[in-house]
């Protein structure tokens, strides 16, 4: 007997999947396998094996001038160990850094036995201004070093920082965590992150790039218990080496980089085109046109970040304040010395990390553009 047919149930409306703020993509297994086979054959798994040496050489070859690259377990450790290797006075000595940075910069200062001293950034460049730091005048005597940060991958004026170093005598270490693509000049010792969320990632990793061979050698020692040709530690150090497996991913990422860079550019161009005619959304100068990075942090009208975040969330579009309210606002650094920080406070309320990934499709870009239109109407 045929059963009576019931009326078709109305389909529950399913919301589209959220537009993710980031969707990292590292080299796939196929690209990594040849390097894994080399590891199998060599039976060398860590402690400066052939893959690590090759990766460091290929990273160094990207610089126009002779440069030494030292890989480290992550960029936070690379910053810490670089500060330690600079032989700065410890105890009571402050390191000047921007409040507008990720907490890693300040953690590195503390881990190196030094004290963070937060200084405001320039509201237009989002970076420390060497002239403004120099204008601290006699107070600079309390500092033993400065760490400018390349915000979201945009490089600072290296010549201006070299001149600052010359006139003040203060060592300068650049936190270029997100500047893999833009860092081509290591006259200032510079640290890059190779974290999975970065434009070229290997999971966890980072490197110091420098023209100072003695500094490079000291950082290398610090990554391996401060051994210097014997099994005796010459000073307190740590273990911050990259394994050969991490380097296999890194080498595969380097093989794919020219194509991946173009794909990052293409995604950025799609976004830029979709937001033409929306002058309230300001990209960093050159972003996605002259240089690439893995995040899209934009400037919005003053104080608009919270409202835009809320509206985009309602429309299923994820966003991120990559640096929260600024590094100084974390409880861990509440007691740290600071100058007035009006530009940092303003940036925290008026910048926002929009969804951005290497394979962002036209549908996601359209959803983001429509949500932004609603938020900024
Ligand atoms: N200096 C500066 C200025 C920095 O920005 C950073 C790091 C450093 C120094 C230190 O570098 P490292 O020591 O990390 O090498 C991310 C990154 O972990 C961090 O590298 C980065 N800056 C910081 C700004 O952001 P999270 O904790 O926000 O990432 P998470 O886990 O929330 O992931 C973001 C999005 O990506 C999520 O939607 C999930 C997705 N995701 C993430 C991972 C890791 C994936 O889909 N797959 C993944 O494998 O820190």
């Amino acid at each position: 007997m045929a059963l009576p047919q019931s009326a078709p149930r109305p389909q529950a409306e399913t919301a589209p999947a959220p537009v993710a703020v980031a969707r990292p993509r590292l080299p796939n297994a196929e690209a990594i396998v040849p390097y894994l086979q080399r590891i199998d054959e060599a039976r060398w798994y860590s402690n400066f094996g052939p893959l690590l040496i090759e990766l460091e050489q290929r990273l160094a070859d990207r610089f126009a001038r002779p440069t030494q690259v030292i890989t480290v377990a992550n960029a936070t450790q690379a910053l810490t160990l670089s500060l330690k290797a600079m032989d700065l006075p410890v105890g009571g000595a402050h390191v000047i850094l921007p409040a507008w940075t990720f907490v890693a910069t300040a953690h590195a200062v503390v881990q190196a036995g030094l004290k963070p001293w937060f200084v405001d950034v320039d509201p237009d460049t989002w970076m420390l201004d060497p002239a403004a730091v120099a204008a601290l005048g006699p107070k600079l005597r309390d500092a033993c070093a400065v760490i400018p940060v390349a915000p979201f991958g945009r490089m600072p004026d290296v010549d201006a920082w070299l001149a600052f170093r010359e006139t003040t005598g203060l060592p300068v270490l650049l936190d270029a965590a997100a500047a893999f693509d833009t860092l081509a000049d290591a006259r200032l010792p510079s640290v890059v992150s190779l974290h999975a969320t970065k434009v070229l990632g290997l999971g966890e990793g980072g490197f110091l790039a420098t023209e100072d061979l003695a500094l490079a050698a000291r950082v290398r020692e610090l990554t391996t218990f401060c051994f210097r040709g014997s099994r005796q530690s010459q000073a307190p150090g740590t273990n911050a080496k990259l394994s050969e497996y991490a380097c296999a991913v890194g080498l595969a990422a380097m093989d794919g980089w020219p194509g991946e860079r173009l794909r990052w550019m293409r995604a950025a161009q799609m976004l830029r085109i979709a937001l033409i005619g929306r002058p309230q959304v300001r990209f960093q100068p050159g972003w996605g046109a002259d240089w690439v990075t893995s995040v899209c942090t934009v400037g919005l009208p003053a104080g608009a970040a919270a409202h835009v975040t809320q509206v985009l969330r309602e429309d299923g579009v994820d966003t991120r304040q990559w640096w929260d309210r600024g590094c100084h606002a974390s409880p861990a650094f509440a007691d740290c010395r600071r100058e007035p920080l009006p530009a940092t406070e303003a940036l925290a309320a008026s910048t926002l990390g929009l969804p951005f990934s290497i394979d962002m499709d036209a549908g996601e870009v359209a959803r983001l553009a429509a949500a932004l239109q609603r938020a900024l109407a």
Side-chain angles (χ1 to χ4, degrees):
M1 195 177 75
L3 292 171
Q5 278 208 321
S6 56
R9 280 162 65 119
Q11 290 281 313
E13 266 203 28
T14 47
V19 181
V21 71
R23 216 170 37 223
R25 185 174 76 183
L26 271 59
N28 62 21
E30 199 184 349
I32 303 168
V33 161
Y35 293 105
L36 296 181
Q37 286 166 339
R38 279 178 53 188
I39 297 174
D40 289 346
E41 281 156 25
R43 293 172 65 174
W44 196 283
Y45 307 102
S46 189
N47 295 6
F48 316 120
L51 269 59
L52 180 137
I53 301 302
E54 185 177 331
L55 177 62
E56 290 185 343
Q57 189 56 54
R58 287 180 65 179
L59 290 167
D61 288 346
R62 290 170 42 81
F63 291 81
R65 294 156 48 101
T67 295
Q68 191 86 29
V69 163
I70 301 294
T71 49
V72 183
N74 55 59
T76 310
Q77 286 260 45
L79 288 167
T80 304
L81 300 184
S82 299
L83 287 171
K84 286 191 169 189
M86 285 171 156
D87 274 337
L88 305 169
V90 186
H94 288 87
V95 174
I96 291 175
L97 73 160
W100 190 230
T101 183
F102 187 53
V103 289
T105 323
H107 279 297
V109 172
V110 175
Q111 291 305 311
L114 300 158
K115 296 180 180 177
W117 176 3
F118 295 113
V119 171
D120 210 4
V121 291
D122 179 277
D124 295 325
T125 64
W126 306 357
M127 309 179 200
L128 281 186
D129 172 6
V133 177
L136 289 170
K139 287 203 282 185
L140 277 184
R141 280 198 287 269
D142 298 345
C144 62
V146 183
I147 308 184
V149 174
F152 309 108
R154 182 181 177 197
M155 275 295 284
D157 180 344
V158 171
D159 285 318
W161 280 108
L162 288 167
F164 171 93
R165 186 173 74 178
E166 186 70 27
T167 48
T168 63
L170 281 173
V172 177
L173 171 67
L174 178 63
D175 179 345
F180 174 81
D181 186 48
T182 39
L183 183 74
D185 175 345
R187 285 175 296 161
L188 289 175
S190 304
V191 166
V192 174
S193 171
L194 299 172
H195 187 262
T197 52
K198 294 291 182 280
V199 76
L200 184 129
L202 48 80
E204 291 285 353
F207 64 88
L208 165 73
T210 180
E211 297 186 2
D212 180 340
L213 299 187
L215 177 70
R218 282 198 297 277
V219 171
R220 173 70 101 211
E221 284 176 5
L222 285 167
T223 66
T224 182
F225 313 107
C226 243
F227 284 156
R228 197 176 298 156
S230 80
R231 293 196 68 74
Q232 290 187 330
S233 291
Q234 301 304 316
T238 190
N239 176 6
K241 304 182 293 284
L242 277 187
S243 79
E244 289 289 274
Y245 291 102
C247 296
V249 181
L251 286 166
M254 292 292 282
D255 293 340
W257 173 243
E260 295 291 88
R261 184 177 191 275
L262 286 176
R263 286 181 269 279
W264 281 111
M265 283 279 187
R266 187 184 56 187
Q269 291 303 320
M270 279 190 347
L271 211 50
R272 292 187 79 112
I273 290 167
L275 297 179
I276 282 176
R278 196 144 297 292
Q280 307 101 310
V281 182
R282 296 182 314 281
F283 294 98
Q284 288 182 280
W287 179 88
D290 304 325
W291 54 277
V292 291
T293 186
S294 59
V295 293
C296 175
T297 299
V298 294
L300 297 168
H307 168 71
V308 173
T309 301
Q310 174 64 29
V311 175
L312 266 58
R313 188 182 300 132
E314 288 163 11
D315 287 358
V317 176
D318 201 9
T319 58
R320 182 68 74 92
Q321 304 264 191
W322 288 109
W323 292 348
D324 198 62
R325 291 190 292 118
C327 186
H328 65 294
S330 276
F333 307 115
D335 297 334
C336 293
R337 182 170 175 175
R338 64 194 62 189
E339 300 301 306
L341 302 169
T344 300
E345 308 278 355
L347 286 170
S350 65
T351 60
L352 191 60
L354 300 179
F356 187 53
S357 55
I358 191 167
D359 54 353
M360 205 171 176
D361 64 33
E364 290 172 315
V365 171
R367 278 178 66 193
L368 168 57
L372 275 174
Q373 175 163 3
R374 195 164 84 81
L376 295 167

